[in-house]
Structure formats: structure tokens, C-alpha cells
Amino acid sequence: MLTPLLAGIGLGFSLIIAIGAQNLFVLRQGLRREHVVLVATICAVSDAALIALGVSGIGLVLTAVPWLVDVVRWAGAAFLIVYGLLAAKRAWRPSGDVLGATSADAAPPSSGATMATRTRALPVVLTVLALTWLNPHVYLDTVFLLGSIANTHGDQRWVFAAGAMLASVVWFFGLAVGARYLSRWLSTPRAWRILDGVIAVVMIGLGVSLVLPH
């Protein structure tokens, strides 16, 4: 029982711990301390759903409709490039983002502030969903690869899947919550310009790589 669980944890971490669009977005939200738990929860739940799809054999069904992967690939490429361009714009014309507590942090939120927070959360939710579900590598790695390996464990494939899901939860919440400890290095607008510049390069590079012939 323990071996499939550990195998799932190991493979889950190996597939998820890589510099990618989703991880960079989670890191940025963690650094900004905005909707941290919400973002991490969406990522972890989405990963769990994709893992369950792969283990249940949906990946085999998707191989019968290869055009669907192409649709996701082009949509994901367009989204990543647009997001990268927005990050490049922030790097070129910074908004003055810095880290640190403000007086608003200490005061209880008013009803108007709560409504504004909910409004600001919507684009964050839509962005993290797009970065997760419009990434064709997610289907190749999580649905196809991880699902195929899980099914080699026979009756214990769901134990393997549980290990992979656990790895996702630990990683996303660790990344989102742990990002705040980098705050002393990102306490100036210049540091944020550098971070947004890195995000722009990675996002645009990933987007272009999706549409280039392999």
C-alpha cells in the first residue's frame, strides 16, 4: 500500500516542480499576498480532477479526438502570449507594486471593501483556470502520462493517484504561502519589474513553443 502512494508522490512532484506559467502565477500571487488560498485551492483541485480523469481512463478516450489537443494547444498559446505581453507592459511601465503591510491590512474590511475584493478576485480566478486548463502539457503529463503509469499499479492505482494529488496540494500551498518569505527581496518597484520581466519571457516563450513545429 505504501509503495504506490510514495510512487505517486514522487511522480507528482517531478511533474509539477518546474518553472511554468501556472507556478509563476501562483508565486506572483503569493508574493502579492492576494487571494493566496483561493489560487492554491483552484490549482490543487484542478490537478486532482485531471489526475482522476487520467486514472479513470479518460486519457484513452481523448486519444481518439486528437483535434481537441490542437484546439487546446492554440488557445493556450494565445493566452500565454497575451499574458506575457501584459507582464512585459508591467515591467516596462511599473505600477509601483511593493510588498509590505499597509494601514488597510490592519483595519477590518468594510462592506464596500469586501465587495471590491470579490470583484478583484474574479480576474484572478479566470486567469488561474485558464493557465491550468488551457495548458496542453497538463493533459500530456497529468492525464496521459500520470494516468498511464497509475494504471500499471492495477487495483492500487487510486492509491498512486492519491499520492500524486497529495504532492499537488503540498506544492501549491507551499509555493503560495512560502512566497511571502521572499518579500524582503521584492520590496521595491525595481524588483517587481525584474520579476514581471522574467514572467514575460517565460510566458511568451512557452506560448511560442506550443505552436512551433516539434
Side-chain angles (χ1 to χ4, degrees):
M1 182 68 72
L2 190 59
T3 300
L5 181 67
L6 293 178
I9 292 173
L11 182 61
F13 274 124
S14 68
L15 292 177
I16 205 170
I17 301 177
I19 296 177
Q22 187 187 48
N23 282 339
L24 281 176
F25 185 77
V26 174
L27 177 63
R28 192 174 194 277
Q29 290 303 119
L31 289 169
R32 291 172 62 88
R33 302 177 188 177
E34 291 181 357
H35 312 296
V36 177
V37 175
L38 177 62
V39 169
T41 300
I42 292 173
C43 289
V45 171
S46 295
D47 237 29
L50 288 164
I51 292 169
L53 287 175
V55 175
S56 65
I58 296 298
L60 297 177
V61 177
L62 292 177
T63 58
V65 283
W67 58 267
L68 184 59
V69 177
D70 288 333
V71 170
V72 174
R73 179 165 61 90
W74 282 95
F79 180 82
L80 288 173
I81 291 173
V82 170
Y83 189 90
L85 291 174
L86 292 175
K89 181 182 178 181
R90 290 195 304 266
W92 185 257
R93 294 181 179 176
S95 60
D97 286 336
V98 294
L99 294 177
T102 63
S103 57
D105 295 328
S110 63
S111 59
T114 302
M115 181 63 68
T117 299
R118 291 176 180 173
T119 303
R120 289 196 301 271
L122 181 59
V124 172
V125 170
L126 295 177
T127 299
V128 72
L129 286 173
L131 288 173
T132 301
W133 292 91
L134 290 180
N135 180 6
H137 291 297
V138 167
Y139 297 96
L140 294 174
D141 292 343
T142 307
V143 178
F144 297 135
L145 177 60
L146 195 146
S148 299
I149 295 176
N151 280 289
T152 64
H153 289 272
D155 294 337
Q156 292 187 319
R157 62 185 182 278
W158 288 107
V159 177
F160 179 93
M165 293 175 186
L166 178 60
S168 295
V169 172
V170 171
W171 172 253
F172 285 121
F173 279 92
L175 180 63
V177 176
R180 68 180 58 190
Y181 296 107
L182 299 175
S183 59
R184 61 175 179 173
W185 290 287
L186 290 164
S187 57
T188 65
R190 182 173 180 271
W192 277 97
R193 293 184 69 180
I194 294 173
L195 177 63
D196 280 324
V198 172
I199 291 174
V201 171
V202 173
M203 295 288 188
I204 294 174
L206 288 172
V208 171
S209 70
L210 289 179
V211 296
L212 287 177
H214 294 82

